[in-house]
Amino acid sequence: MRKYEKKKPLIAIHLPKSGGTSFGKILRQWYSPKLYFFYGNNIKGKIPKKVRLKKFFSNQFREGICIYGHFNKSRGFGIKKYYPEVDQFITIIREPFEMAVSEYFFLRKVGKDCKVKWSIPENDIETYLTSCTPNMLNHFPCDLTMDNYKDLLEEHFIHIGMTEDMVTSVRIIAEKLGFSFAQNIETFNTTERTQRVPYELKKDFMERHPVEYAVYEFAKANYNKH
């Protein structure tokens, strides 16, 4: 993984349903007032606003900034479209099947209020898990494949943490970025699971989404390394 360059902007990618709200609270403590959030408004159907980075590449600039949020190239606001000059990233990742399950219940809960209706699942969870295309890879800065994912992740990412072990993940991210961490992580934005989760579908889900699992396993093998 690459070394953090404090004088250059950092993008922290908020992967949906991966503990990102909790991590955002920690980033606010570390980077405020130079933390910029990158979120649209699904209720109003608005896409995120771009932070103008030109001044942050000035020779006079002496302190890093962080941009945090949902980047999604499939919806027209991917990282390379908005911030092609940024080349260092961090994120927290979650087991893809659990991410899809959590996103299903979340979208069902908030969907009635959203103008973006195409993303709201109408069928039961079994139908959703056998037909959905996971959204995870759309948030990464590069197009990841089975041939290139290791090289691209090592080249561009300072660290990829794990939702399943947030304390260790955030502690190591803090060390790499030069911050302190008190090992206190609050939990936010959880959604009740109102249907039985069909775990018997997990094996088929894994086979249909090999790149997502390759990225996850790469992170799992490296998240606790300094």
Side-chain angles (χ1 to χ4, degrees):
M1 310 297 275
R2 65 176 293 155
K3 185 177 180 180
Y4 177 47
E5 297 181 63
K6 186 176 181 180
K7 294 180 181 180
K8 298 172 63 176
L10 168 72
I11 285 181
I13 302 168
H14 180 176
L15 297 178
K17 313 313 298 174
S18 298
T21 303
S22 301
F23 189 46
K25 298 286 185 181
I26 296 169
L27 288 172
R28 187 188 294 274
Q29 297 173 13
W30 292 347
Y31 279 96
S32 185
K34 288 186 171 63
L35 176 66
Y36 298 87
F37 289 102
F38 186 85
Y39 291 99
N41 188 322
N42 285 335
I43 304 299
K44 297 181 179 180
K46 293 185 177 180
I47 64 174
K49 291 184 178 180
K50 180 177 180 179
V51 177
R52 301 297 176 183
L53 291 180
K54 185 175 180 180
K55 63 180 178 179
F56 296 115
F57 285 92
S58 166
N59 291 331
Q60 286 73 43
F61 187 66
R62 292 293 183 269
E63 186 177 354
I65 68 164
C66 180
I67 302 169
Y68 183 55
H70 289 314
F71 299 87
N72 194 322
K73 51 179 168 279
S74 71
R75 295 179 59 189
F77 44 90
I79 290 173
K80 290 303 180 184
K81 179 177 180 179
Y82 274 64
Y83 303 109
E85 65 272 56
V86 178
D87 61 359
Q88 56 180 357
F89 307 92
I90 57 173
T91 193
I92 304 288
I93 198 171
R94 185 179 184 181
E95 198 278 334
F97 184 84
E98 289 295 333
M99 187 187 299
V101 169
S102 184
E103 189 163 29
Y104 170 84
F105 288 112
F106 176 75
L107 292 173
R108 294 270 290 187
K109 177 181 177 181
V110 304
K112 61 182 183 298
D113 299 320
C114 292
K115 286 190 175 182
V116 186
K117 298 295 184 183
W118 58 264
S119 63
I120 312 305
E122 297 180 353
N123 298 312
D124 60 29
I125 189 169
E126 292 191 21
T127 303
Y128 177 78
L129 290 172
T130 56
S131 61
C132 71
T133 300
N135 191 32
M136 184 181 86
L137 297 181
N138 288 321
H139 294 263
F140 282 80
C142 306
D143 293 329
L144 301 177
T145 69
M146 292 298 293
D147 294 325
N148 69 16
Y149 75 92
K150 287 184 180 180
D151 291 338
L152 291 177
L153 294 178
E154 289 177 347
E155 178 182 356
H156 294 293
F157 278 80
I158 295 159
H159 201 73
I160 302 176
M162 306 287 293
T163 305
E164 294 86 347
D165 190 355
M166 284 286 285
V167 171
T168 301
S169 299
V170 176
R171 176 177 56 80
I172 293 176
I173 290 173
E175 292 175 2
K176 289 188 173 184
L177 299 183
F179 295 104
S180 60
F181 173 55
Q183 297 196 6
N184 180 26
I185 300 177
E186 298 180 77
T187 301
F188 300 93
N189 207 20
T190 58
T191 307
E192 181 184 1
R193 297 185 174 189
T194 56
Q195 301 176 43
R196 183 188 72 86
V197 178
Y199 281 101
E200 64 273 15
L201 299 179
K202 183 174 179 178
K203 181 179 179 181
D204 177 69
F205 183 90
M206 294 174 66
E207 291 174 350
R208 288 187 292 109
H209 305 297
V211 183
E212 285 83 353
Y213 272 92
V215 172
Y216 173 74
E217 291 298 331
F218 173 88
K220 187 176 179 180
N222 292 282
Y223 85 94
N224 59 355
K225 296 179 181 178
H226 294 264

